[in-house]
Amino acid sequence: HTILLAPAGSAPVYIWGEQTHNSTFRFLTFQGNYGLNGYGFEAGSTLSNYGAGGIFLQLANGCHVEGIHGINAPQKVVGMNQCNHTRIFNCRSTRTESLGTYIQWDFQDANGTDNHFYDCTFDGNFLCKAFESFGSVGDKFVRCGGRNCSFSINGAAGWLLDECYTTIEALSWNND
């Protein structure tokens, strides 16, 4: 298992896979430094280009992603844009601090077709944007969820949420 660390004051650590068809990404941990007391954020900030915090795939088809763990990542522990037929298994995001502003989602498919997330979890001390299908067709989120996480289906079609769950704790919202 490989751990990639972003020390205080550095940009996020992530892997960008563009047109990486039928590729496999397995068992990686991305340790970020993002939060109100970390690198780069101020409460109420409107900037949104903070980079991914894990695996980001673009124009990639038929990929397999498994066992990715993002810790205090800015966004996209597993994110996809214009990807098709990709499967994501047993990935997780852990967030100990609030981001203080909306950035993006931790598990996201944007403008893709037939991408599936299985057994992905989010664990946060603060309510956060965790799972999203944006403008995609045929996405599945199966047994995904966690503590203080939210879901979004935005402009998507033919989607499935199956056995998904969330537990939202009192006083967990912090304006992000």
Side-chain angles (χ1 to χ4, degrees):
H1 193 98
T2 301
I3 299 173
L4 303 169
L5 172 66
S10 71
V13 176
Y14 62 97
I15 294 175
W16 180 295
E18 184 150 352
Q19 298 183 24
T20 54
H21 307 304
N22 303 309
S23 298
T24 298
F25 303 87
R26 296 179 69 208
F27 306 119
L28 298 165
T29 295
F30 295 86
Q31 171 72 55
N33 54 23
Y34 281 70
L36 293 177
N37 296 314
Y39 171 73
F41 288 142
E42 295 178 14
S45 172
T46 59
L47 298 174
S48 63
N49 188 15
Y50 292 107
I55 302 291
F56 182 71
L57 302 175
Q58 183 160 301
L59 299 166
N61 300 318
C63 292
H64 177 98
V65 179
E66 180 179 5
I68 305 303
H69 183 197
I71 303 169
N72 291 328
Q75 62 177 333
K76 292 182 177 65
V77 171
V78 179
M80 296 178 286
N81 185 36
Q82 300 177 10
C83 297
N84 303 302
H85 315 296
T86 291
R87 303 297 181 258
I88 296 91
F89 299 93
N90 300 308
C91 296
R92 59 193 169 120
S93 176
T94 303
R95 180 138 323 131
T96 60
E97 293 189 57
S98 169
L99 295 178
T101 187
Y102 169 74
I103 296 178
Q104 274 293 333
W105 297 78
D106 281 16
F107 299 98
Q108 181 188 46
D109 179 30
N111 307 304
T113 301
D114 189 41
N115 296 305
H116 302 176
F117 294 81
Y118 296 95
D119 301 303
C120 295
T121 60
F122 177 91
D123 183 52
N125 292 339
F126 297 90
L127 183 60
C128 198
K129 288 30 172 196
F131 301 94
E132 183 184 45
S133 176
F134 180 86
S136 298
V137 176
D139 280 354
K140 292 182 182 179
F141 292 90
V142 179
R143 295 178 305 276
C144 295
R147 182 173 69 101
N148 293 324
C149 65
S150 61
F151 290 80
S152 172
I153 306 296
N154 188 346
W159 49 269
L160 173 69
L161 298 176
D162 186 8
E163 296 184 53
C164 293
Y165 59 94
T166 186
T167 300
I168 299 174
E169 297 174 333
L171 305 175
S172 64
W173 183 73
N174 192 30
N175 198 29
D176 67 341

